[in-house]
Short mmCIF file of all heavy atoms in Angstrom, two decimals:
data_model
loop_
_atom_site.label_atom_id
_atom_site.label_comp_id
_atom_site.label_asym_id
_atom_site.label_seq_id
_atom_site.Cartn_x
_atom_site.Cartn_y
_atom_site.Cartn_z
N MET J 24 0.94 -1.21 0.01
CA MET J 24 0.00 -0.03 -0.04
C MET J 24 0.90 1.26 0.02
O MET J 24 1.89 1.35 0.74
CB MET J 24 -0.87 -0.04 1.27
CG MET J 24 -1.87 0.97 1.25
SD MET J 24 -3.34 0.34 0.38
CE MET J 24 -4.59 1.51 0.89
N THR J 25 0.60 2.13 -0.96
CA THR J 25 1.38 3.36 -0.95
C THR J 25 0.57 4.59 -0.56
O THR J 25 -0.64 4.46 -0.54
CB THR J 25 1.98 3.61 -2.40
OG1 THR J 25 0.94 4.02 -3.21
CG2 THR J 25 2.74 2.38 -2.89
N ASN J 26 1.16 5.64 -0.32
CA ASN J 26 0.49 6.88 0.10
C ASN J 26 0.35 7.85 -1.25
O ASN J 26 0.11 8.98 -1.07
CB ASN J 26 1.12 7.59 1.18
CG ASN J 26 1.08 6.87 2.48
OD1 ASN J 26 0.00 6.17 2.67
ND2 ASN J 26 1.92 7.09 3.36
N ARG J 27 0.59 7.32 -2.38
CA ARG J 27 0.56 8.00 -3.60
C ARG J 27 -0.79 7.97 -4.22
O ARG J 27 -1.50 6.94 -4.20
CB ARG J 27 1.66 7.54 -4.54
CG ARG J 27 3.03 7.66 -3.94
CD ARG J 27 4.14 7.21 -4.85
NE ARG J 27 4.24 8.02 -6.09
CZ ARG J 27 4.89 9.16 -6.15
NH1 ARG J 27 5.55 9.59 -5.07
NH2 ARG J 27 5.01 9.80 -7.25
N THR J 28 -1.25 9.01 -4.83
CA THR J 28 -2.49 9.12 -5.45
C THR J 28 -2.26 9.00 -7.06
O THR J 28 -1.50 9.77 -7.58
CB THR J 28 -3.19 10.43 -5.19
OG1 THR J 28 -3.35 10.55 -3.86
CG2 THR J 28 -4.53 10.48 -5.84
N PRO J 29 -2.97 7.97 -7.70
CA PRO J 29 -2.82 7.90 -9.14
C PRO J 29 -3.70 9.13 -9.77
O PRO J 29 -4.78 9.40 -9.34
CB PRO J 29 -3.41 6.53 -9.45
CG PRO J 29 -4.26 6.15 -8.29
CD PRO J 29 -3.83 6.93 -7.16
N LEU J 30 -3.19 9.66 -10.88
CA LEU J 30 -3.82 10.57 -11.60
C LEU J 30 -3.68 10.26 -13.13
O LEU J 30 -2.54 10.25 -13.52
CB LEU J 30 -3.29 12.07 -11.37
CG LEU J 30 -3.93 13.17 -12.21
CD1 LEU J 30 -5.50 13.33 -11.97
CD2 LEU J 30 -3.18 14.52 -11.90
N ALA J 31 -4.83 10.07 -13.76
CA ALA J 31 -4.76 9.75 -15.20
C ALA J 31 -5.27 10.96 -16.05
O ALA J 31 -6.18 11.61 -15.79
CB ALA J 31 -5.66 8.51 -15.58
N VAL J 32 -4.48 11.20 -17.11
CA VAL J 32 -4.82 12.30 -18.04
C VAL J 32 -4.88 11.64 -19.44
O VAL J 32 -3.99 10.95 -19.81
CB VAL J 32 -3.74 13.37 -18.05
CG1 VAL J 32 -4.09 14.45 -18.97
CG2 VAL J 32 -3.60 13.93 -16.57
N PHE J 33 -6.02 11.94 -20.16
CA PHE J 33 -6.28 11.30 -21.41
C PHE J 33 -6.10 12.47 -22.49
O PHE J 33 -6.78 13.46 -22.34
CB PHE J 33 -7.58 10.63 -21.59
CG PHE J 33 -7.68 9.46 -20.64
CD1 PHE J 33 -8.13 9.68 -19.35
CD2 PHE J 33 -7.32 8.19 -21.05
CE1 PHE J 33 -8.17 8.59 -18.39
CE2 PHE J 33 -7.43 7.18 -20.17
CZ PHE J 33 -7.76 7.30 -18.90
N LEU J 34 -5.21 12.27 -23.57
CA LEU J 34 -5.01 13.32 -24.47
C LEU J 34 -5.34 12.78 -25.87
O LEU J 34 -5.20 11.55 -26.19
CB LEU J 34 -3.53 13.70 -24.41
CG LEU J 34 -2.95 14.13 -23.05
CD1 LEU J 34 -1.41 14.30 -23.22
CD2 LEU J 34 -3.59 15.29 -22.48
N TYR J 35 -5.55 13.71 -26.72
CA TYR J 35 -5.88 13.33 -28.17
C TYR J 35 -5.21 14.36 -29.12
O TYR J 35 -4.03 14.26 -29.40
CB TYR J 35 -7.25 13.06 -28.54
CG TYR J 35 -7.45 12.62 -29.84
CD1 TYR J 35 -6.84 11.49 -30.41
CD2 TYR J 35 -8.34 13.26 -30.83
CE1 TYR J 35 -6.97 11.11 -31.74
CE2 TYR J 35 -8.44 12.92 -32.04
CZ TYR J 35 -7.72 11.82 -32.51
OH TYR J 35 -7.87 11.34 -33.89
N ASN J 36 -5.91 15.31 -29.62
CA ASN J 36 -5.37 16.10 -30.72
C ASN J 36 -5.62 17.66 -30.36
O ASN J 36 -5.72 18.45 -31.33
CB ASN J 36 -6.00 15.75 -32.00
CG ASN J 36 -7.40 16.16 -32.11
OD1 ASN J 36 -8.13 16.34 -31.15
ND2 ASN J 36 -7.97 16.18 -33.33
N ARG J 37 -5.52 18.03 -29.14
CA ARG J 37 -5.74 19.46 -28.88
C ARG J 37 -4.50 19.96 -28.10
O ARG J 37 -4.43 19.92 -26.79
CB ARG J 37 -7.03 19.64 -27.99
CG ARG J 37 -8.12 19.23 -28.76
CD ARG J 37 -9.49 19.59 -28.04
NE ARG J 37 -10.53 19.37 -29.05
CZ ARG J 37 -11.70 18.96 -28.69
NH1 ARG J 37 -11.98 18.84 -27.37
NH2 ARG J 37 -12.73 18.77 -29.57
N PRO J 38 -3.48 20.41 -28.83
CA PRO J 38 -2.17 20.93 -28.18
C PRO J 38 -2.49 22.01 -27.17
O PRO J 38 -1.86 21.93 -26.07
CB PRO J 38 -1.31 21.32 -29.38
CG PRO J 38 -1.94 20.68 -30.58
CD PRO J 38 -3.47 20.49 -30.32
N LEU J 39 -3.26 23.03 -27.44
CA LEU J 39 -3.47 24.08 -26.53
C LEU J 39 -4.14 23.60 -25.28
O LEU J 39 -3.65 23.97 -24.16
CB LEU J 39 -4.39 25.21 -27.15
CG LEU J 39 -4.68 26.32 -26.30
CD1 LEU J 39 -3.45 27.13 -25.90
CD2 LEU J 39 -5.64 27.32 -26.98
N HIS J 40 -5.09 22.81 -25.25
CA HIS J 40 -5.79 22.18 -24.06
C HIS J 40 -4.78 21.38 -23.31
O HIS J 40 -4.66 21.32 -22.11
CB HIS J 40 -6.95 21.43 -24.43
CG HIS J 40 -8.08 22.29 -24.97
ND1 HIS J 40 -8.52 22.23 -26.28
CD2 HIS J 40 -8.87 23.19 -24.34
CE1 HIS J 40 -9.44 23.11 -26.44
NE2 HIS J 40 -9.71 23.65 -25.30
N THR J 41 -3.89 20.61 -24.07
CA THR J 41 -2.88 19.74 -23.42
C THR J 41 -1.97 20.62 -22.60
O THR J 41 -1.74 20.23 -21.52
CB THR J 41 -2.21 18.96 -24.46
OG1 THR J 41 -3.07 18.11 -25.10
CG2 THR J 41 -1.09 18.15 -23.93
N ARG J 42 -1.40 21.63 -23.28
CA ARG J 42 -0.50 22.51 -22.53
C ARG J 42 -1.16 23.10 -21.25
O ARG J 42 -0.54 23.06 -20.18
CB ARG J 42 -0.08 23.72 -23.47
CG ARG J 42 0.69 24.80 -22.85
CD ARG J 42 2.21 24.41 -22.47
NE ARG J 42 2.86 24.19 -23.80
CZ ARG J 42 4.01 23.62 -23.79
NH1 ARG J 42 4.69 23.19 -22.70
NH2 ARG J 42 4.59 23.32 -24.99
N ARG J 43 -2.30 23.71 -21.41
CA ARG J 43 -3.00 24.26 -20.19
C ARG J 43 -3.28 23.26 -19.12
O ARG J 43 -3.01 23.56 -17.91
CB ARG J 43 -4.31 24.96 -20.64
CG ARG J 43 -4.02 26.14 -21.61
CD ARG J 43 -5.30 26.69 -22.18
NE ARG J 43 -6.19 27.11 -21.26
CZ ARG J 43 -7.47 27.42 -21.49
NH1 ARG J 43 -7.97 27.29 -22.72
NH2 ARG J 43 -8.33 27.83 -20.55
N ALA J 44 -3.72 22.11 -19.39
CA ALA J 44 -3.98 21.09 -18.43
C ALA J 44 -2.72 20.62 -17.77
O ALA J 44 -2.57 20.53 -16.53
CB ALA J 44 -4.66 19.90 -19.13
N LEU J 45 -1.64 20.29 -18.54
CA LEU J 45 -0.42 19.81 -17.92
C LEU J 45 0.32 20.90 -17.20
O LEU J 45 0.94 20.63 -16.12
CB LEU J 45 0.47 19.14 -18.99
CG LEU J 45 -0.14 17.91 -19.55
CD1 LEU J 45 0.88 17.32 -20.72
CD2 LEU J 45 -0.42 16.82 -18.51
N ASP J 46 0.18 22.14 -17.60
CA ASP J 46 0.76 23.24 -16.83
C ASP J 46 0.05 23.37 -15.48
O ASP J 46 0.70 23.62 -14.48
CB ASP J 46 0.62 24.63 -17.55
CG ASP J 46 1.75 24.74 -18.64
OD1 ASP J 46 2.74 23.91 -18.74
OD2 ASP J 46 1.55 25.61 -19.43
N ALA J 47 -1.27 23.18 -15.52
CA ALA J 47 -2.04 23.28 -14.20
C ALA J 47 -1.61 22.11 -13.27
O ALA J 47 -1.47 22.30 -12.05
CB ALA J 47 -3.42 23.30 -14.48
N ILE J 48 -1.51 20.91 -13.81
CA ILE J 48 -1.16 19.85 -13.07
C ILE J 48 0.29 20.00 -12.46
O ILE J 48 0.49 19.67 -11.32
CB ILE J 48 -1.18 18.47 -13.83
CG1 ILE J 48 -2.61 18.12 -14.21
CG2 ILE J 48 -0.50 17.35 -13.18
CD1 ILE J 48 -2.89 17.06 -15.14
N SER J 49 1.22 20.58 -13.26
CA SER J 49 2.55 20.82 -12.66
C SER J 49 2.65 21.74 -11.54
O SER J 49 3.58 21.84 -10.79
CB SER J 49 3.42 21.30 -13.84
OG SER J 49 3.15 22.71 -14.13
N ARG J 50 1.59 22.59 -11.41
CA ARG J 50 1.52 23.47 -10.28
C ARG J 50 0.76 23.00 -9.00
O ARG J 50 0.56 23.71 -8.05
CB ARG J 50 0.87 24.75 -10.70
CG ARG J 50 1.75 25.55 -11.73
CD ARG J 50 1.18 26.97 -12.00
NE ARG J 50 -0.23 26.97 -12.36
CZ ARG J 50 -0.66 26.94 -13.68
NH1 ARG J 50 0.26 26.74 -14.63
NH2 ARG J 50 -1.88 26.91 -14.02
N LEU J 51 0.31 21.80 -9.10
CA LEU J 51 -0.37 21.12 -7.95
C LEU J 51 0.47 21.07 -6.74
O LEU J 51 1.60 20.69 -6.84
CB LEU J 51 -0.91 19.73 -8.31
CG LEU J 51 -2.08 19.62 -9.31
CD1 LEU J 51 -2.42 18.16 -9.65
CD2 LEU J 51 -3.39 20.23 -8.74
N GLU J 52 -0.12 21.45 -5.58
CA GLU J 52 0.50 21.17 -4.32
C GLU J 52 0.53 19.78 -4.03
O GLU J 52 -0.42 19.06 -4.24
CB GLU J 52 -0.24 22.02 -3.30
CG GLU J 52 0.51 21.98 -1.89
CD GLU J 52 -0.22 22.78 -0.98
OE1 GLU J 52 -0.68 23.96 -1.24
OE2 GLU J 52 -0.34 22.37 0.26
N GLY J 53 1.68 19.18 -3.65
CA GLY J 53 1.76 17.75 -3.41
C GLY J 53 1.99 16.93 -4.57
O GLY J 53 1.69 15.72 -4.49
N LEU J 54 2.40 17.50 -5.65
CA LEU J 54 2.63 16.73 -6.83
C LEU J 54 3.52 15.54 -6.62
O LEU J 54 3.47 14.51 -7.33
CB LEU J 54 3.17 17.68 -7.98
CG LEU J 54 3.37 16.95 -9.30
CD1 LEU J 54 2.09 16.51 -9.89
CD2 LEU J 54 4.00 18.05 -10.30
N GLU J 55 4.50 15.65 -5.74
CA GLU J 55 5.46 14.56 -5.42
C GLU J 55 4.67 13.40 -4.91
O GLU J 55 5.29 12.36 -4.79
CB GLU J 55 6.55 15.08 -4.55
CG GLU J 55 6.13 15.36 -3.04
CD GLU J 55 5.39 16.74 -2.90
OE1 GLU J 55 5.37 17.57 -3.85
OE2 GLU J 55 4.89 17.01 -1.83
N LYS J 56 3.42 13.49 -4.42
CA LYS J 56 2.69 12.33 -3.97
C LYS J 56 1.72 11.81 -4.98
O LYS J 56 0.84 11.08 -4.54
CB LYS J 56 1.98 12.81 -2.61
CG LYS J 56 2.92 13.18 -1.53
CD LYS J 56 2.03 13.72 -0.36
CE LYS J 56 2.96 14.12 0.74
NZ LYS J 56 2.28 14.59 1.98
N ILE J 57 1.88 12.17 -6.22
CA ILE J 57 0.99 11.73 -7.27
C ILE J 57 1.77 10.87 -8.30
O ILE J 57 2.82 11.28 -8.70
CB ILE J 57 0.34 13.00 -7.96
CG1 ILE J 57 -0.53 13.71 -6.99
CG2 ILE J 57 -0.37 12.61 -9.20
CD1 ILE J 57 -1.15 15.02 -7.54
N ASP J 58 1.12 9.81 -8.68
CA ASP J 58 1.55 8.96 -9.86
C ASP J 58 0.83 9.38 -10.99
O ASP J 58 -0.41 9.18 -11.11
CB ASP J 58 1.35 7.46 -9.54
CG ASP J 58 2.34 6.82 -8.51
OD1 ASP J 58 3.46 7.44 -8.48
OD2 ASP J 58 1.94 5.94 -7.82
N LEU J 59 1.49 10.07 -11.98
CA LEU J 59 0.79 10.64 -13.06
C LEU J 59 1.01 9.73 -14.36
O LEU J 59 2.14 9.25 -14.65
CB LEU J 59 1.51 12.00 -13.38
CG LEU J 59 0.89 12.80 -14.67
CD1 LEU J 59 -0.54 13.09 -14.44
CD2 LEU J 59 1.67 13.97 -14.89
N PHE J 60 -0.18 9.33 -14.87
CA PHE J 60 -0.30 8.52 -16.05
C PHE J 60 -0.87 9.36 -17.08
O PHE J 60 -1.93 9.88 -17.01
CB PHE J 60 -1.09 7.29 -15.83
CG PHE J 60 -0.58 6.35 -14.75
CD1 PHE J 60 -0.90 6.59 -13.41
CD2 PHE J 60 0.31 5.39 -14.99
CE1 PHE J 60 -0.44 5.81 -12.35
CE2 PHE J 60 0.87 4.52 -14.08
CZ PHE J 60 0.50 4.73 -12.75
N ILE J 61 -0.13 9.45 -18.31
CA ILE J 61 -0.63 10.28 -19.43
C ILE J 61 -0.90 9.31 -20.55
O ILE J 61 -0.06 8.56 -21.03
CB ILE J 61 0.42 11.28 -19.80
CG1 ILE J 61 0.65 12.30 -18.65
CG2 ILE J 61 -0.03 12.14 -21.06
CD1 ILE J 61 1.78 13.29 -18.88
N TYR J 62 -2.17 9.29 -21.04
CA TYR J 62 -2.53 8.39 -22.07
C TYR J 62 -2.73 9.24 -23.34
O TYR J 62 -3.47 10.17 -23.33
CB TYR J 62 -3.78 7.62 -21.80
CG TYR J 62 -3.64 6.60 -20.61
CD1 TYR J 62 -3.86 7.01 -19.39
CD2 TYR J 62 -3.29 5.29 -20.91
CE1 TYR J 62 -3.72 6.01 -18.34
CE2 TYR J 62 -3.15 4.34 -19.89
CZ TYR J 62 -3.31 4.85 -18.61
OH TYR J 62 -3.19 3.87 -17.57
N SER J 63 -2.20 8.83 -24.44
CA SER J 63 -2.31 9.59 -25.68
C SER J 63 -2.73 8.59 -26.84
O SER J 63 -1.92 7.67 -27.15
CB SER J 63 -1.03 10.26 -26.11
OG SER J 63 -1.14 10.79 -27.29
N ASP J 64 -3.93 8.75 -27.36
CA ASP J 64 -4.40 7.87 -28.52
C ASP J 64 -3.75 8.38 -29.81
O ASP J 64 -3.32 9.37 -29.90
CB ASP J 64 -5.97 8.07 -28.67
CG ASP J 64 -6.76 7.30 -27.69
OD1 ASP J 64 -6.16 6.36 -27.13
OD2 ASP J 64 -7.88 7.53 -27.56
N ALA J 65 -3.61 7.35 -30.65
CA ALA J 65 -3.05 7.58 -31.98
C ALA J 65 -4.07 8.34 -32.82
O ALA J 65 -5.21 8.36 -32.46
CB ALA J 65 -2.75 6.27 -32.63
N ALA J 66 -3.57 8.98 -33.89
CA ALA J 66 -4.47 9.80 -34.77
C ALA J 66 -5.53 8.78 -35.41
O ALA J 66 -5.15 7.73 -35.97
CB ALA J 66 -3.71 10.45 -35.81
N LYS J 67 -6.78 9.07 -35.38
CA LYS J 67 -7.81 8.33 -35.93
C LYS J 67 -7.98 8.62 -37.45
O LYS J 67 -8.49 7.82 -38.21
CB LYS J 67 -9.18 8.46 -35.18
CG LYS J 67 -9.11 7.94 -33.85
CD LYS J 67 -10.37 8.31 -33.11
CE LYS J 67 -10.28 7.83 -31.63
NZ LYS J 67 -9.32 8.49 -30.83
N HIS J 68 -7.50 9.81 -37.80
CA HIS J 68 -7.62 10.38 -39.17
C HIS J 68 -6.25 10.98 -39.54
O HIS J 68 -5.64 11.54 -38.68
CB HIS J 68 -8.71 11.39 -39.45
CG HIS J 68 -10.13 10.94 -38.80
ND1 HIS J 68 -10.96 10.11 -39.35
CD2 HIS J 68 -10.71 11.33 -37.63
CE1 HIS J 68 -11.97 9.94 -38.73
NE2 HIS J 68 -11.86 10.53 -37.63
N LEU J 69 -5.91 10.97 -40.88
CA LEU J 69 -4.66 11.56 -41.28
C LEU J 69 -4.60 12.94 -40.90
O LEU J 69 -3.52 13.55 -40.60
CB LEU J 69 -4.39 11.20 -42.74
CG LEU J 69 -4.12 9.83 -43.19
CD1 LEU J 69 -3.98 9.74 -44.65
CD2 LEU J 69 -2.81 9.48 -42.48
N GLY J 70 -5.76 13.65 -40.91
CA GLY J 70 -5.78 15.04 -40.66
C GLY J 70 -5.48 15.49 -39.23
O GLY J 70 -5.10 16.60 -38.93
N HIS J 71 -5.48 14.45 -38.32
CA HIS J 71 -5.20 14.62 -36.81
C HIS J 71 -3.81 14.29 -36.55
O HIS J 71 -3.32 14.57 -35.37
CB HIS J 71 -6.19 13.82 -35.94
CG HIS J 71 -7.58 14.23 -36.10
ND1 HIS J 71 -8.57 13.45 -35.58
CD2 HIS J 71 -8.23 15.25 -36.71
CE1 HIS J 71 -9.85 13.98 -35.78
NE2 HIS J 71 -9.54 15.19 -36.53
N ALA J 72 -3.04 13.73 -37.44
CA ALA J 72 -1.67 13.21 -37.15
C ALA J 72 -0.80 14.25 -36.62
O ALA J 72 -0.05 14.13 -35.60
CB ALA J 72 -1.09 12.54 -38.36
N GLU J 73 -0.78 15.36 -37.16
CA GLU J 73 0.11 16.50 -36.79
C GLU J 73 -0.27 16.99 -35.36
O GLU J 73 0.61 17.35 -34.49
CB GLU J 73 0.14 17.68 -37.76
CG GLU J 73 1.05 18.89 -37.35
CD GLU J 73 2.45 18.38 -37.34
OE1 GLU J 73 2.96 17.35 -37.85
OE2 GLU J 73 3.30 19.20 -36.66
N SER J 74 -1.56 17.19 -35.11
CA SER J 74 -1.97 17.61 -33.78
C SER J 74 -1.56 16.60 -32.77
O SER J 74 -1.22 16.91 -31.61
CB SER J 74 -3.50 17.89 -33.71
OG SER J 74 -3.80 18.94 -34.60
N VAL J 75 -1.79 15.40 -33.06
CA VAL J 75 -1.47 14.29 -32.11
C VAL J 75 0.07 14.33 -31.79
O VAL J 75 0.52 14.11 -30.69
CB VAL J 75 -1.90 12.90 -32.57
CG1 VAL J 75 -1.28 11.81 -31.70
CG2 VAL J 75 -3.38 12.82 -32.57
N ARG J 76 0.82 14.52 -32.85
CA ARG J 76 2.31 14.64 -32.66
C ARG J 76 2.69 15.75 -31.69
O ARG J 76 3.49 15.64 -30.87
CB ARG J 76 3.10 14.74 -34.02
CG ARG J 76 4.59 14.73 -33.89
CD ARG J 76 5.23 15.32 -35.11
NE ARG J 76 4.96 16.75 -35.31
CZ ARG J 76 5.46 17.74 -34.61
NH1 ARG J 76 6.25 17.48 -33.54
NH2 ARG J 76 5.11 19.03 -34.90
N LYS J 77 2.03 16.89 -31.93
CA LYS J 77 2.29 18.09 -31.04
C LYS J 77 1.83 17.78 -29.58
O LYS J 77 2.57 18.10 -28.69
CB LYS J 77 1.52 19.28 -31.56
CG LYS J 77 2.08 19.75 -32.87
CD LYS J 77 1.29 21.04 -33.33
CE LYS J 77 1.74 21.64 -34.63
NZ LYS J 77 0.89 22.71 -35.14
N VAL J 78 0.75 17.15 -29.50
CA VAL J 78 0.26 16.72 -28.09
C VAL J 78 1.28 15.96 -27.40
O VAL J 78 1.59 16.11 -26.15
CB VAL J 78 -1.17 16.10 -28.17
CG1 VAL J 78 -1.56 15.37 -26.95
CG2 VAL J 78 -2.23 17.13 -28.43
N ARG J 79 1.81 14.88 -28.08
CA ARG J 79 2.81 13.90 -27.47
C ARG J 79 4.05 14.70 -27.17
O ARG J 79 4.73 14.44 -26.15
CB ARG J 79 2.98 12.83 -28.47
CG ARG J 79 1.79 11.93 -28.46
CD ARG J 79 2.02 10.70 -29.26
NE ARG J 79 0.80 9.75 -29.16
CZ ARG J 79 0.79 8.50 -29.72
NH1 ARG J 79 1.91 8.12 -30.42
NH2 ARG J 79 -0.27 7.86 -29.56
N ALA J 80 4.43 15.68 -28.01
CA ALA J 80 5.67 16.44 -27.69
C ALA J 80 5.53 17.25 -26.49
O ALA J 80 6.43 17.28 -25.52
CB ALA J 80 6.07 17.25 -28.88
N ILE J 81 4.28 17.89 -26.34
CA ILE J 81 4.06 18.66 -25.13
C ILE J 81 3.99 17.83 -23.89
O ILE J 81 4.54 18.10 -22.85
CB ILE J 81 2.70 19.40 -25.28
CG1 ILE J 81 2.87 20.50 -26.36
CG2 ILE J 81 2.24 20.03 -23.97
CD1 ILE J 81 1.51 21.08 -26.80
N ALA J 82 3.35 16.58 -23.99
CA ALA J 82 3.33 15.64 -22.92
C ALA J 82 4.77 15.32 -22.46
O ALA J 82 5.09 15.20 -21.18
CB ALA J 82 2.54 14.53 -23.25
N GLN J 83 5.67 15.01 -23.43
CA GLN J 83 7.06 14.62 -22.99
C GLN J 83 7.70 15.85 -22.34
O GLN J 83 8.42 15.65 -21.32
CB GLN J 83 7.80 14.32 -24.36
CG GLN J 83 7.41 13.02 -24.95
CD GLN J 83 7.84 11.77 -24.15
OE1 GLN J 83 8.79 11.83 -23.35
NE2 GLN J 83 7.25 10.76 -24.30
N GLU J 84 7.53 16.97 -22.87
CA GLU J 84 8.25 18.16 -22.28
C GLU J 84 7.71 18.44 -20.82
O GLU J 84 8.45 18.75 -19.92
CB GLU J 84 7.87 19.41 -23.19
CG GLU J 84 8.31 20.75 -22.62
CD GLU J 84 7.87 21.82 -23.46
OE1 GLU J 84 7.62 21.62 -24.68
OE2 GLU J 84 7.57 22.91 -22.87
N CYS J 85 6.33 18.42 -20.68
CA CYS J 85 5.81 18.58 -19.26
C CYS J 85 5.99 17.59 -18.35
O CYS J 85 6.13 17.86 -17.15
CB CYS J 85 4.23 18.94 -19.51
SG CYS J 85 3.92 20.43 -20.43
N ALA J 86 6.16 16.36 -18.81
CA ALA J 86 6.35 15.26 -17.89
C ALA J 86 7.84 15.14 -17.43
O ALA J 86 8.04 14.45 -16.44
CB ALA J 86 5.84 13.90 -18.56
N ALA J 87 8.72 15.62 -18.23
CA ALA J 87 10.18 15.44 -18.02
C ALA J 87 10.52 15.79 -16.49
O ALA J 87 11.31 14.92 -15.93
CB ALA J 87 10.98 16.19 -18.99
N PRO J 88 10.14 16.91 -15.91
CA PRO J 88 10.58 17.23 -14.64
C PRO J 88 9.98 16.39 -13.54
O PRO J 88 10.31 16.48 -12.27
CB PRO J 88 10.34 18.71 -14.45
CG PRO J 88 9.60 19.15 -15.65
CD PRO J 88 9.43 17.94 -16.58
N HIS J 89 8.85 15.69 -13.79
CA HIS J 89 8.08 15.00 -12.90
C HIS J 89 8.07 13.47 -13.21
O HIS J 89 8.16 13.10 -14.33
CB HIS J 89 6.67 15.45 -12.91
CG HIS J 89 6.56 16.92 -12.85
ND1 HIS J 89 6.75 17.68 -11.71
CD2 HIS J 89 6.13 17.79 -13.75
CE1 HIS J 89 6.57 18.91 -11.98
NE2 HIS J 89 6.21 19.09 -13.24
N PRO J 90 8.01 12.66 -12.22
CA PRO J 90 7.86 11.20 -12.56
C PRO J 90 6.45 10.99 -13.11
O PRO J 90 5.45 11.05 -12.42
CB PRO J 90 8.03 10.47 -11.24
CG PRO J 90 7.83 11.56 -10.12
CD PRO J 90 8.13 12.87 -10.75
N ALA J 91 6.38 10.81 -14.41
CA ALA J 91 5.22 10.56 -15.12
C ALA J 91 5.31 9.42 -16.10
O ALA J 91 6.42 9.22 -16.71
CB ALA J 91 4.69 11.78 -15.81
N ARG J 92 4.33 8.63 -16.28
CA ARG J 92 4.32 7.57 -17.24
C ARG J 92 3.51 7.87 -18.44
O ARG J 92 2.33 8.23 -18.21
CB ARG J 92 3.91 6.26 -16.67
CG ARG J 92 3.94 5.13 -17.55
CD ARG J 92 3.86 3.83 -16.74
NE ARG J 92 3.86 2.71 -17.75
CZ ARG J 92 3.19 1.58 -17.58
NH1 ARG J 92 2.51 1.36 -16.46
NH2 ARG J 92 3.24 0.75 -18.50
N ILE J 93 4.07 7.98 -19.64
CA ILE J 93 3.35 8.33 -20.90
C ILE J 93 3.04 6.99 -21.57
O ILE J 93 4.01 6.28 -21.95
CB ILE J 93 4.05 9.30 -21.72
CG1 ILE J 93 4.37 10.58 -20.89
CG2 ILE J 93 3.33 9.56 -22.98
CD1 ILE J 93 5.11 11.57 -21.54
N ILE J 94 1.83 6.79 -21.89
CA ILE J 94 1.39 5.62 -22.65
C ILE J 94 0.75 6.05 -23.93
O ILE J 94 -0.22 6.78 -23.98
CB ILE J 94 0.37 4.80 -21.84
CG1 ILE J 94 0.96 4.27 -20.49
CG2 ILE J 94 -0.16 3.57 -22.58
CD1 ILE J 94 0.54 5.16 -19.33
N GLY J 95 1.38 5.69 -25.04
CA GLY J 95 0.90 6.01 -26.44
C GLY J 95 0.19 4.90 -27.07
O GLY J 95 0.80 3.71 -26.98
N ARG J 96 -0.77 5.02 -27.69
CA ARG J 96 -1.49 3.94 -28.40
C ARG J 96 -1.83 4.27 -29.81
O ARG J 96 -1.99 5.42 -30.16
CB ARG J 96 -2.88 3.58 -27.83
CG ARG J 96 -2.71 3.12 -26.39
CD ARG J 96 -2.40 1.71 -26.23
NE ARG J 96 -2.30 1.29 -24.88
CZ ARG J 96 -1.27 0.65 -24.34
NH1 ARG J 96 -0.18 0.39 -24.95
NH2 ARG J 96 -1.31 0.31 -23.15
#
């Protein structure tokens, strides 16, 4: 049993929303007690591929200073 709280974030193809959400999470008090899981779906349409790539890059950047697990599908 751990005293850590799991937090799951689901991302798709909205880079601006991704940045805002992950920036807010990075400012959480007690972030060191959170196990952060970031899920990113693959592009469902060719037109979404670039946005999904940007979202994943933002997730990598924002997760780097924190222990976070990024799961891409």
Side-chain angles (χ1 to χ4, degrees):
M24 189 84 165
T25 72
N26 291 333
R27 299 179 67 82
T28 302
L30 175 62
V32 178
F33 296 87
L34 308 174
Y35 181 54
N36 71 341
R37 296 190 171 146
L39 178 61
H40 291 110
T41 297
R42 170 76 64 195
R43 291 171 62 194
L45 294 179
D46 283 348
I48 289 169
S49 73
R50 293 189 305 270
L51 287 174
E52 186 175 318
L54 183 60
E55 68 280 354
K56 296 179 183 178
I57 293 175
D58 286 328
L59 181 60
F60 298 89
I61 300 173
Y62 293 89
S63 174
D64 280 343
K67 293 174 183 67
H68 309 284
L69 287 177
H71 294 171
E73 181 61 19
S74 292
V75 169
R76 186 197 63 74
K77 288 179 183 178
V78 163
R79 289 182 175 187
I81 292 167
Q83 289 288 339
E84 174 190 329
C85 291
H89 312 288
R92 184 166 176 210
I93 299 175
I94 300 97
R96 299 282 184 229

